């Protein structure tokens, strides 16, 4: 095959085509979906990424960019007969300027590594998805990742200053720059969150923030998930703006305890609230927070006394997704959003749906911005259980829409939610999105099949 000959000439032994070599790339974190690619290439320089895209275009072969494969929506699932461009070897921090508070990184740099490298200068990179020890900045850009602290600091789009991108046509363009205030259309902001449909980021300029002077991390146990949800509303009504507000239910607590022994109290629900900022501001906020939580019906309240205790609280929360694998051989992570004033209502309905479908649902979510992450547990080896789990997950997405929310908060549409796109957007809105895609990718090669359902499926 001619395309393989050209890729072999470019990548040599870094072109993977054997069955055993391709197997690790057949799926991402949405393991219910699998697809065998034609080939995987392992570029080490951005020029090789550009040339791989140009080769794919010449041969009309679709391609998918992949970092660590942590997409929970199937966003980095290979396209059958396509090429996976794996970016993990482009993992260099090209520039770190403490005075300008920015870093220029390659797409394969792991999220947490940016903060590690910036730490000696008193700086850090704010977006902190739970996958931050392994997920890459390129993937974070593709899906506009958030994390526990996006309540205060915003999503990835709020921290990207500029991009160098190779388009699906093989053209290299620069979007944005190094300043906070750009001139003209916000093209780099437009690119963030497009799930690899409009090209591949080659270099990313990130905004760094000063590390907070102080933290105040509170853990409160509640007799019900609804009570924890009501406590969130109380905190926000008080005028406080925490760095993060997170909730875990009993199943998620049990899983996290089994996995990392965070030392959580036994409860139906846990609320984590973290205040951060200047020392005096945090101290004043802590006093107000104590009053609010005292009136919220919490059964137990703990305050992290030092950084080790703070990290222990977060270790359990951030391990919750993977830890749920201890409770069930398979699970689907949903990503719907509801107005935070309707959190308690949403949680009650999810509980009812769980009973109706006979499937357990663990809840871990960013309560401050209403981003739910219900984990639907199932056993894929039992006939019909995957289909039942997908139906339940779909009911949860429709619930989010009925309550005035969204089908995705930070995981993207990918493969998982494309069937629900038409329930959130009008035909006119979807047609406008497809026109943008067609204008920049007329052959439909970049991450083909993601976000937009196939025409026959869309009109079914």
């Amino acid at each position: 095959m001619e395309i393989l000959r050209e890729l072999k000439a470019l990548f040599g032994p870094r072109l993977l085509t054997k069955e055993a070599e391709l197997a690790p790339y057949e799926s991402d974190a949405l393991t219910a979906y699998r697809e065998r690619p034609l080939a995987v290439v392992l570029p080490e320089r951005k020029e090789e990424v550009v040339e791989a895209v140009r080769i794919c275009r010449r041969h009309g072969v679709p391609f998918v960019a992949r970092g660590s494969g942590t997409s929970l929506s199937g966003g980095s699932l290979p396209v059958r007969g396509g090429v996976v461009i794996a970016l993990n070897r482009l993992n260099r921090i090209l520039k770190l300027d403490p005075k300008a508070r920015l870093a220029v990184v390659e797409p394969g740099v792991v999220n947490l590594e940016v903060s590690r490298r910036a730490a000696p200068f008193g700086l850090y990179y704010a977006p902190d998805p739970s996958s931050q020890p392994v997920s890459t900045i390129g993937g974070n850009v593709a899906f506009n990742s958030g994390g526990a602290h996006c309540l205060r600091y915003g999503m990835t789009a709020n921290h990207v200053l500029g991009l160098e991108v190779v388009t699906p046509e093989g053209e290299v363009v620069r979007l944005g720059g190094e300043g906070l205030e750009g001139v003209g259309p916000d093209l780099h902001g437009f690119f963030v969150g497009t799930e690899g449909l409009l090209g591949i980021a080659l270099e990313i300029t990130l905004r760094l923030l000063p590390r907070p002077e102080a933290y105040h991390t509170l853990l409160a146990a509640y007799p019900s998930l609804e009570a924890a949800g009501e406590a969130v509303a109380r905190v926000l009504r008080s005028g406080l703006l925490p760095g993060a507000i997170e909730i875990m239910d009993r199943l998620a607590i049990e899983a996290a305890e089994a996995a990392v022994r965070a030392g959580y109290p036994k409860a139906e629900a846990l609320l984590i609230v973290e205040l951060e900022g200047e020392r005096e501001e945090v101290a004043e906020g802590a006093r107000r927070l104590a009053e609010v939580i005292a009136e919220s019906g919490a059964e137990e309240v703990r305050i992290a006394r030092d950084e080790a205790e703070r990290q222990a609280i977060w270790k359990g929360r951030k391990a919750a997704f993977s830890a749920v694998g201890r409770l069930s051989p398979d699970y689907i992570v949903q990503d719907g959003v509801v107005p935070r004033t309707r959190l308690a209502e949403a949680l009650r309905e999810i509980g009812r749906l769980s009973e109706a479908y006979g499937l357990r649902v663990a809840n871990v979510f960013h309560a401050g911005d209403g981003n739910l992450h219900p984990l639907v547990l199932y056993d894929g080896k039992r006939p019909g259980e995957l289909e039942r789990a997908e139906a339940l997950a779909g009911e949860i997405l429709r619930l989010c829409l009925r309550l005035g929310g969204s089908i995705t908060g930070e995981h993207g549409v990918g493969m998982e939610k494309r069937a629900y796109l038409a329930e959130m957007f009008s035909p006119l809105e979807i047609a406008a999105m497809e026109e943008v895609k067609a204008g920049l990718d007329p052959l439909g090669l970049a991450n083909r099949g993601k976000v937009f359902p196939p025409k026959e499926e869309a009109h079914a």
Side-chain angles (χ1 to χ4, degrees):
M1 186 178 281
E2 181 60 19
I3 184 173
L4 292 181
R5 190 191 65 76
E6 290 187 31
L7 290 173
K8 182 70 175 178
L10 179 62
F11 291 99
R14 292 182 284 120
L15 169 69
L16 311 180
T17 57
K18 296 176 182 175
E19 186 171 328
E21 294 173 330
L22 299 179
Y25 297 90
E26 289 181 356
S27 183
D28 53 20
L30 185 67
T31 55
Y33 294 76
R34 291 188 174 276
E35 197 63 77
R36 176 74 51 93
L38 171 69
V40 175
V41 295
L42 306 173
E44 294 177 343
R45 298 177 294 109
K46 65 180 182 181
E47 291 80 6
E48 293 179 333
V49 179
V50 174
E51 192 55 34
V53 169
R54 290 172 177 170
I55 290 172
C56 287
R57 182 182 178 278
R58 278 202 298 276
H59 293 276
V61 172
F63 60 86
V64 177
R66 176 187 170 110
S68 297
T70 55
S71 171
L72 290 162
S73 63
S76 52
L77 185 76
V79 180
R80 181 177 300 178
V83 173
V84 173
I85 302 176
L87 301 171
N88 294 80
R89 297 189 182 192
L90 279 86
N91 58 0
R92 291 169 285 258
I93 294 179
L94 303 171
K95 175 180 176 182
L96 202 157
D97 185 339
K99 290 184 178 177
R101 294 182 182 173
L102 64 84
V104 180
V105 307
E106 292 183 323
V109 169
V110 169
N111 176 303
L112 196 56
E113 183 62 18
V114 180
S115 290
R116 284 181 180 146
R117 293 282 296 275
F121 306 102
L123 301 172
Y124 79 116
Y125 177 61
D128 61 340
S130 297
S131 61
Q132 71 174 154
V134 292
S135 67
T136 61
I137 295 296
N140 292 175
V141 167
F143 292 91
N144 193 20
S145 300
H149 292 79
C150 67
L151 170 65
R152 185 181 179 103
Y153 298 106
M155 311 282 281
T156 296
N158 300 105
H159 300 271
V160 172
L161 299 173
L163 294 161
E164 184 179 50
V165 171
V166 56
T167 72
E169 293 281 87
E171 182 183 2
V172 177
V173 297
R174 283 194 171 271
L175 312 174
E178 295 189 349
L180 282 172
E181 297 180 2
V183 177
D186 181 12
L187 296 177
H188 61 289
F190 178 76
F191 183 87
V192 176
T194 51
E195 304 194 21
L197 298 182
L198 304 183
I200 301 173
L202 303 169
E203 290 183 9
I204 303 127
T205 303
L206 302 172
R207 181 164 70 111
L208 303 176
L209 299 180
R211 286 185 60 81
E213 185 181 9
Y215 291 98
H216 176 80
T217 308
L218 175 147
L219 180 73
Y222 288 88
S224 71
L225 203 50
E226 292 84 354
E230 293 288 356
V232 172
R234 285 174 178 267
V235 171
L236 295 173
R237 280 201 303 269
S238 74
L240 289 167
L241 179 57
I245 307 181
E246 302 284 301
I247 289 180
M248 302 168 65
D249 74 359
R250 180 174 50 79
L251 273 179
I253 297 165
E254 290 175 2
E257 277 299 305
V260 300
R261 297 183 182 178
Y264 290 152
K266 290 184 179 180
E268 287 299 312
L270 289 181
L271 173 67
I272 300 171
V273 183
E274 182 159 274
L275 306 175
E276 57 191 76
E278 295 182 1
R279 199 171 302 282
E280 291 183 359
E281 172 195 356
V282 170
E284 174 58 26
R287 283 190 287 273
R288 293 170 61 193
L289 180 62
E291 295 170 0
V292 172
I293 296 299
E295 296 170 354
S296 69
E299 296 175 324
E300 182 177 348
V301 178
R302 297 180 185 176
I303 307 295
R305 292 169 294 185
D306 52 34
E307 182 62 18
E309 290 190 358
R310 173 178 176 257
Q311 291 299 333
I313 289 174
W314 282 114
K315 186 177 181 181
R317 164 59 188 89
K318 297 213 168 190
F321 279 10
S322 57
V324 166
R326 292 172 174 259
L327 304 179
S328 174
D330 301 291
Y331 60 88
I332 295 173
V333 183
Q334 269 302 353
D335 177 40
V337 179
V338 298
R340 55 196 181 205
T341 54
R342 307 192 74 173
L343 264 179
E345 183 180 352
L347 295 172
R348 278 195 299 274
E349 183 61 10
I350 290 172
R352 188 193 69 75
L353 289 169
S354 172
E355 290 185 10
Y357 278 82
L359 294 172
R360 294 182 297 168
V361 177
N363 288 283
V364 184
F365 52 95
H366 307 311
D369 56 2
N371 189 185
L372 307 174
H373 289 316
L375 296 99
V376 181
L377 312 187
Y378 71 97
D379 185 346
K381 293 179 180 176
R382 294 180 180 171
E385 198 150 298
L386 168 61
E387 290 74 15
R388 211 161 78 245
E390 288 183 323
L392 170 53
E395 292 264 19
I396 293 173
L397 291 182
R398 293 189 174 103
L399 166 67
C400 293
L401 292 176
R402 284 200 306 277
L403 296 179
S406 163
I407 60 173
T408 181
E410 58 180 345
H411 295 173
V413 176
M415 291 291 291
E416 181 198 26
K417 305 185 200 72
R418 63 182 190 175
Y420 301 94
L421 199 69
E423 297 189 32
M424 181 166 177
F425 296 104
S426 71
L428 192 62
E429 290 169 325
I430 294 176
M433 296 181 210
E434 290 177 324
E435 281 186 27
V436 172
K437 165 72 171 168
L440 295 172
D441 184 12
L443 299 179
L445 301 180
N447 216 2
R448 176 183 289 173
K450 312 297 168 52
V451 181
F452 304 113
K455 295 300 179 187
E456 62 276 14
E457 186 178 318
H459 298 297

